[in-house]
């Protein structure tokens, strides 16, 4: 098994070599192997004491295999072929990559968009098993999904106790609630934080139920764990390269997996790196989905693909190498890689907005201008009269070392519902989908600037890059997209619908960004399908 990190850039190689030398002198590899929580300074020590279990997951997670195997066999014996995962951040991103790489189907719900949730509910409910994944159970999105599926099962005459599997920490409120409801519970290692949990129960349970070979995944990770012992190891080299590059000004980490047999790892690494390093006004911005421009602050990391650094290895090994590297980069940057101090800001703003609005309308404000099915909210100069002008304004407003982030609170699968001709080629079909996909905006705008353009689906990104947006360098420009809801969905036992929650989450993050002085514009699509088409047309005119 090839597990390695090599360098295609002489400057990166030299910087990494020097950083490794200093890390070895400071005893970092030995201390990290021993799980020393003092590595990231006294302020991080208490958090690190309870967050280093990921180092041993390739071994300790094997204890879960008999329970997971028995559960998967029971699910298959009962004909439950549709596996739905309700989880956010680390609870969903790793299983999504695992299942895509092993080519097994998994429906991931990390959204509050009613259209996306309705689509999952309509898909084989009689053959559905739902995995509810949350360390505490208090995550508002996951709690909403659990409530909705419980009601849907009961309405269909199905006992939820036979259809819901809970993955959580020992002693959590969710464990107690699940036990009372009679749900199957799999307990995760409480000494592992969410974004480091790929090889824990959070990554393994839904993946195994979907049909992935998780024992093989652990085999791959265990071999990588052996490679991480000592001074000459790939995780140390990668972490040294990322950290040293960022300290020298190359803090935009473009993740390229174009030649990799692994599917979607950059989306998982994006959360790991952004949420771990983006704090105290510093950090590394992972960039997924666009080509390098050659800008001076770019650092290209290839996953089984050439780059300034190339990381080779199977999925289980990649998980562990990137986790190790992120911890090392945190040490070099002088930040705690295990906390997320600014994530709560958007959550608190959302809760306040919902509470203050009561049964009334949410405080959306008055649009600065309207261009067809798109309302524009924010500080817009008088000379800007239309949507192309707004997009131009945002692009021109990106600082010299900054970036533009597109944050879309919409249904990320709606484009695939667009009818296509029966005899259409794959190329024609993908073109049709792209013409209706908000994510296409990233590519359209990225070719109009030499600065990075990132794209995140809300509220998913709130548990990922949202930390970097608020805690990282003050050089981001933000474009938020929301949309009208035509067919909302009640959340049983709660005073809000999914659509209302989705909009409140968008407004909550908008408020958090503005309080920190981040430039942000919100586009609201009064007709979602027409609005997306109009927005993409406007981007082509910039």
């Amino acid at each position: 098994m090839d597990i390695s990190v090599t360098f295609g850039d002489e400057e990166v190689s030299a910087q990494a070599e020097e950083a490794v030398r200093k890390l070895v002198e400071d005893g970092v590899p030995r201390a990290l192997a021993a799980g020393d929580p003092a590595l990231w300074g006294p302020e991080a020590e208490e958090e690190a004491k309870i967050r280093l279990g990921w180092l041993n997951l390739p071994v300790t997670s094997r204890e879960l295999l008999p329970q997971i195997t028995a559960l998967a066999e029971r699910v298959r014996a009962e004909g439950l072929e549709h596996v739905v995962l309700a989880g956010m951040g680390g609870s969903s991103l790793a299983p999504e990559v695992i299942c895509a790489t092993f080519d097994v189907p998994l429906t991931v719900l990390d959204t509050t968009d009613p259209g996306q949730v309705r689509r999952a509910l309509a898909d084989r409910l009689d053959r559905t098993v739902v995995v509810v994944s949350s360390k505490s159970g208090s995550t508002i999105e996951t709690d909403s999904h659990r409530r909705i599926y419980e009601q849907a099962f009961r309405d269909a005459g199905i006992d939820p106790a036979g259809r819901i599997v809970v993955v959580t920490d020992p002693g959590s409120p969710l464990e107690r609630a699940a036990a009372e409801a009679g749900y199957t519970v799999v307990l995760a290692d409480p000494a592992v934080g969410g974004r480091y949990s790929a090889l824990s129960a959070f990554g393994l349970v839904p993946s195994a139920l979907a049909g992935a070979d998780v024992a093989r995944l652990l085999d791959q990770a265990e071999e990588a764990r052996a490679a991480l012992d000592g001074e000459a190891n790939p995780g140390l080299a990668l972490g040294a390269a990322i950290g040293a590059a960022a300290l020298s000004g190359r803090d935009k980490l473009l993740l390229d997996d174009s030649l990799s047999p692994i599917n979607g790892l950059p989306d998982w690494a994006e959360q790991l790196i952004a949420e771990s390093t983006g704090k105290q006004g510093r950090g590394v911005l992972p960039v997924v989905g666009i080509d390098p421009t050659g800008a001076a602050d770019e650092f290209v990391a290839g996953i089984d693909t050439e780059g300034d650094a190339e990381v080779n290895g199977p999925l289980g090994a990649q998980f562990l190498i990137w986790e190790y590297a992120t911890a090392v980069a945190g040490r070099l940057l002088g930040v705690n890689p295990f906390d997320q101090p600014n994530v709560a800001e958007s959550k608190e703003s959302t809760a306040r907005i919902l509470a203050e609005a009561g049964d009334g309308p949410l405080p959306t404000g008055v649009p600065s201008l309207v261009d067809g099915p798109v309302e524009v909210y924010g500080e817009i100069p008088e000379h800007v009269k239309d949507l192309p002008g707004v997009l131009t304004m945002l692009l021109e407003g990106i600082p010299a070392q900054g970036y533009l982030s597109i944050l879309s609170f919409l249904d990320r699968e709606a484009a695939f519902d667009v009818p296509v001709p029966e005899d259409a080629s794959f190329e024609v079909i993908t073109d049709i989908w792209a013409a209706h996909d908000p994510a296409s905006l990233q590519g359209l705008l990225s070719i109009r600037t030499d600065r990075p353009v990132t794209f995140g689906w809300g509220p998913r990104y709130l548990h990922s890059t949202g930390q970097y947006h608020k805690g990282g360098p003050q050089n981001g420009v933000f474009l938020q997209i929301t949309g009208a809801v035509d067919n909302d969905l009640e959340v049983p036992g709660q005073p809000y619908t999914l659509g209302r929650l989705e909009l409140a989450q968008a407004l909550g993050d908008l408020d958090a960004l503005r309080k920190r002085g981040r430039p942000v514009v919100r586009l609201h699509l009064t007709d979602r399908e027409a609005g997306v088409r109009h927005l993409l047309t406007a981007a082509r005119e910039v």
Side-chain angles (χ1 to χ4, degrees):
M1 186 187 303
D2 180 21
I3 301 172
S4 63
V5 171
T6 57
F7 299 108
D9 181 288
E10 291 184 3
E11 181 182 10
V12 169
S13 180
Q15 289 177 338
E17 184 177 349
E18 174 59 24
V20 166
R21 185 191 63 77
K22 182 66 167 61
L23 289 164
V24 170
E25 280 183 5
D26 293 344
V28 171
R30 184 172 59 255
L32 188 51
D36 183 355
L39 277 170
W40 299 274
E43 292 184 2
E45 190 165 352
E46 285 304 307
E47 180 83 22
K49 281 180 182 177
I50 58 171
R51 288 291 177 261
L52 289 172
W54 56 272
L55 286 162
N56 299 313
L57 286 176
V59 175
T60 58
S61 283
R62 292 189 182 278
E63 299 171 6
L64 295 170
L65 291 180
Q67 183 186 7
I68 293 174
T69 300
L71 178 59
E73 289 174 350
R74 193 253 305 169
V75 164
R76 279 190 275 276
E78 294 177 1
L80 304 180
E81 61 183 22
H82 182 214
V83 182
V84 175
L85 171 59
M88 300 300 296
S91 297
S92 63
L93 290 165
E96 192 169 60
V97 176
I98 295 168
C99 291
T101 300
F102 279 90
D103 195 23
V104 294
L106 177 70
T107 296
V108 175
L109 287 183
D110 54 1
T111 180
T112 45
D113 189 85
Q116 198 168 329
V117 176
R118 281 189 181 278
R119 187 182 297 101
L121 284 169
D123 184 5
R124 296 165 288 168
L125 184 67
D126 60 328
R127 288 171 282 165
T128 293
V129 59
V130 179
V131 181
V132 176
S133 285
S134 173
K135 285 181 70 66
S136 68
S138 62
T139 306
I140 194 169
E141 300 94 341
T142 306
D143 177 70
S144 298
H145 301 148
R146 176 184 60 81
R147 292 169 180 269
I148 288 168
Y149 264 96
E150 285 173 340
Q151 187 64 53
F153 284 136
R154 292 190 187 105
D155 289 347
I158 299 170
D159 183 0
R163 298 300 190 90
I164 293 179
V165 175
V166 168
V167 182
T168 190
D169 280 358
S172 72
L174 180 56
E175 183 196 8
R176 293 191 293 272
E180 292 173 3
Y183 300 152
T184 298
V185 177
V186 182
L187 296 177
D189 186 339
V192 177
R195 56 188 178 273
Y196 290 81
S197 66
L199 299 168
S200 77
F202 288 105
L204 302 182
V205 171
S207 302
L209 294 186
D213 186 349
V214 296
R216 181 174 156 207
L217 191 76
L218 292 178
D219 289 341
Q220 297 167 352
E222 192 167 2
E223 188 165 338
R225 181 68 182 85
L228 293 175
D229 285 336
E231 299 173 359
N233 75 66
L236 186 68
L238 179 61
I242 293 172
L247 289 172
S248 71
R250 297 176 68 174
D251 60 351
K252 310 302 187 301
L253 181 64
L254 274 69
L255 297 166
D256 182 4
D257 65 342
S258 56
L259 300 179
S260 178
I262 300 171
N263 292 321
L265 190 66
D267 289 325
W268 169 83
E270 180 182 46
Q271 184 214 12
L272 174 70
I273 297 162
E275 200 167 50
S276 296
T277 69
K279 54 202 74 168
Q280 300 173 34
R282 65 193 84 149
V284 176
L285 175 69
V287 182
V288 178
I290 61 171
D291 295 328
T293 66
D297 57 347
E298 286 182 350
F299 173 33
V300 181
I303 298 166
D304 299 315
T305 304
E306 290 185 358
D308 299 325
E310 180 176 344
V311 187
N312 297 296
L315 180 55
Q318 292 275 358
F319 280 144
L320 202 59
I321 289 170
W322 282 97
E323 288 166 351
Y324 190 105
T326 301
V328 169
R331 158 89 180 196
L332 290 172
L333 291 169
V335 298
N336 176 1
F338 306 114
D339 69 349
Q340 47 281 331
N342 306 111
V343 167
E345 293 177 20
S346 295
K347 295 179 182 178
E348 291 165 358
S349 293
T350 296
R352 176 183 52 78
I353 287 169
L354 286 171
E356 291 179 353
D359 295 331
L362 296 178
T364 56
V366 177
S368 301
L369 66 88
V370 177
D371 187 336
V374 181
E375 298 174 342
V376 182
Y377 295 81
E379 295 184 8
I380 308 299
E382 287 188 10
H383 71 273
V384 175
K385 303 297 184 183
D386 56 15
L387 203 46
V390 172
L391 298 177
T392 299
M393 176 195 77
L394 291 169
L395 291 170
E396 292 177 347
I398 304 173
Q401 301 297 312
Y403 66 100
L404 171 65
S405 186
I406 305 167
L407 312 170
S408 176
F409 286 80
L410 299 170
D411 179 348
R412 68 173 172 139
E413 297 176 356
F416 306 123
D417 291 339
V418 176
V420 297
E422 290 185 6
D423 58 347
S425 66
F426 178 74
E427 289 76 12
V428 170
I429 292 172
T430 53
D431 285 345
I432 292 172
W433 286 339
H436 293 81
D437 188 352
S440 297
L441 186 62
Q442 180 187 24
L444 290 171
L445 294 184
S446 67
I447 62 175
R448 287 160 171 79
T449 176
D450 62 354
R451 305 310 309 141
V453 178
T454 68
F455 185 94
W457 292 103
R460 170 185 174 124
Y461 79 83
L462 295 176
H463 302 259
S464 175
T465 53
Q467 167 62 42
Y468 183 95
H469 294 160
K470 290 173 279 292
Q474 179 83 347
N475 58 13
V477 174
F478 300 91
L479 174 62
Q480 188 187 82
I481 308 171
T482 58
V485 173
D486 295 327
N487 192 11
D488 213 340
L489 191 57
E490 297 289 332
V491 180
Q494 297 291 12
Y496 46 76
T497 62
L498 271 190
R500 187 174 178 84
L501 174 58
E502 180 181 40
L503 180 57
Q505 289 179 307
L507 296 176
D509 196 47
L510 195 74
D511 182 63
L513 289 168
R514 284 176 173 162
K515 283 181 177 177
R516 289 185 159 269
R518 269 49 169 174
V520 55
V521 168
R522 179 171 74 95
L523 306 181
H524 184 71
L525 314 182
T526 54
D527 178 309
R528 289 195 179 202
E529 185 176 341
V532 169
R533 292 200 310 271
H534 192 67
L535 178 56
L536 298 182
T537 298
R540 295 185 188 97
E541 297 174 3
V542 171

